Amino acid sequence: MNKNEGRTYGSGWMYHWLVALLRSMNLRAVYVFMGVLVVPWFVLLARGSRPTWRYYRVRRGYGWWQSLRSLYGNYYMFGQTVVDKFAMYAGRHFEIVYHGFEHARDRSADAPSLLLLNAHIGCNEILGYSFRFDKRCNVLVYGGEKAALMAYRKLSFGEMNIRMVPIGTDVSHSDEIVSALECGEYISVFADRFMTSSKVITSQLHGGTVYLARGPFAMAVTRGLEVYMVCTMKEDDGSYSAYLNPLFYDKRLTKAEQRQMLADAYTAELEAMMERYPLQWFNYSDIWREK
């Protein structure tokens, strides 16, 4: 399988320029500019266009024209969430409605760790700049990301009790993850992308077999952790809705059965969210195909 990298498009000077621009410019004007001059090029040239087209055409059963419109709408919505992240770096704020976050806020000091599973839908990064966790939340991020963007993230996460833990590079941070678990801290990780074919688990999504990262599910089962699915979705009025929903699995089963039950709960929650927000599937790789 091909290695899935997580680098954001652009360079450091572009990020600084965009942040400066968004301190004063109307966001809707930026959206329109992007939708007219940027999004069409992504539709035509981006590597993610083919698997996203297949998602709408094959998995959702859309017709040719509806699939094309959805592909454009998907990139346009993705572009808006990227602009919104940089607007947050520039000091702007968005209305966010929280659903179920009492699970991560009203916990005793000696309560065990939580595992927060993410997926490449919506914009969970917005949540990191607006919701302060009672315990430190360790967010596993791609370690090969550009330094300028990581600096913006670190500055924005600073007051929210969030620490970034780089993964996916030659440098191992497993000790930091183990230490966080032993201290009862939270771990936040994406489960819908994988690095190697030997570390996957399969499940069903939109009528087909998908390949997920095995590590998060193995971690949860080995440690007996409570697991929640985190999704932060953009609404039509420009606000966001953040969801924290529990994923249940039976700890009386074998370890393999527990991992499978948890993976199936994850994809069921993911499919329900994708049905509600069909234009916000931003994985841009075909997780239905073994590569």
Side-chain angles (χ1 to χ4, degrees):
M1 297 185 183
N2 295 328
K3 181 178 178 180
N4 283 304
E5 296 190 354
R7 292 174 67 96
T8 303
Y9 289 107
S11 58
W13 71 266
M14 291 176 61
Y15 303 152
H16 298 319
W17 175 83
L18 184 57
V19 169
L21 181 71
L22 291 172
R23 289 195 176 101
S24 58
M25 192 169 183
N26 182 279
L27 282 184
R28 292 192 179 277
V30 178
Y31 296 160
V32 171
F33 173 85
M34 174 193 63
V36 173
L37 297 179
V38 179
V39 171
W41 290 103
F42 275 79
V43 170
L44 292 173
L45 302 175
R47 287 185 300 175
S49 291
R50 183 183 294 269
T52 305
W53 163 271
R54 286 179 55 84
Y55 165 63
Y56 291 114
R57 189 78 172 95
V58 177
R59 298 301 163 189
R60 301 195 67 90
Y62 291 175
W64 191 93
W65 177 242
Q66 187 179 9
S67 297
L68 181 62
R69 290 177 56 192
S70 297
L71 176 61
Y72 176 90
N74 176 277
Y75 273 118
Y76 184 51
M77 183 64 73
F78 177 66
Q80 289 186 40
T81 65
V82 172
V83 169
D84 291 350
K85 287 191 293 185
F86 282 91
M88 294 285 282
Y89 301 153
R92 304 178 76 153
H93 299 280
F94 295 86
E95 178 184 353
I96 301 180
V97 179
Y98 300 97
H99 305 273
F101 276 78
E102 64 276 4
H103 299 296
R105 183 151 39 196
D106 303 329
R107 295 176 66 83
S108 62
D110 59 349
S113 297
L114 294 182
L115 179 60
L116 309 178
L117 293 184
N118 304 308
H120 288 82
I121 60 174
C123 186
N124 279 346
E125 194 170 327
I126 290 288
L127 176 65
Y129 308 143
S130 55
F131 181 84
R132 193 180 194 285
F133 292 87
D134 287 349
K135 293 186 176 183
R136 183 161 66 175
C137 183
N138 299 269
V139 180
L140 277 57
V141 298
Y142 175 56
E145 187 59 274
K146 298 178 178 68
L149 188 59
M150 293 291 279
Y152 277 122
R153 286 175 174 172
K154 186 175 181 180
L155 181 64
S156 299
F157 287 156
E159 298 180 356
M160 297 300 169
N161 207 16
I162 293 174
R163 178 180 68 165
M164 291 183 292
V165 179
I167 60 172
T169 61
D170 293 335
V171 179
S172 174
H173 292 80
S174 58
D175 289 345
E176 294 181 47
I177 299 171
V178 171
S179 176
L181 291 169
E182 291 176 347
C183 293
E185 298 175 358
Y186 304 154
I187 302 292
S188 176
V189 59
F190 285 88
D192 63 332
R193 283 187 180 176
F194 54 86
M195 300 301 294
T196 64
S197 59
S198 62
K199 298 180 180 180
V200 296
I201 187 170
T202 60
S203 187
Q204 295 294 306
L205 182 66
H206 279 303
T209 299
V210 292
Y211 297 83
L212 308 172
R214 182 178 181 274
F217 305 105
M219 182 197 307
V221 169
T222 300
R223 293 271 179 170
L225 301 177
E226 289 183 54
V227 184
Y228 291 83
M229 178 80 164
V230 184
C231 303
T232 308
M233 314 304 292
K234 187 175 177 68
E235 302 290 354
D236 292 339
D237 63 0
S239 66
Y240 283 85
S241 295
Y243 302 90
L244 186 68
N245 295 325
L247 301 181
F248 299 106
Y249 62 105
D250 190 343
K251 297 179 181 179
R252 297 170 298 179
L253 300 176
T254 66
K255 299 296 186 183
E257 290 171 330
Q258 290 181 55
R259 289 193 296 269
Q260 190 62 59
M261 187 175 182
L262 187 54
D264 292 342
Y266 173 82
T267 52
E269 189 68 34
L270 178 57
E271 183 167 329
M273 200 61 62
M274 290 161 68
E275 287 293 334
R276 188 170 179 180
Y277 299 93
L279 295 182
Q280 297 190 49
W281 168 244
F282 303 142
N283 188 290
Y284 297 126
S285 60
D286 194 346
I287 65 174
W288 285 271
R289 278 184 163 185
E290 186 174 2
K291 298 179 177 65

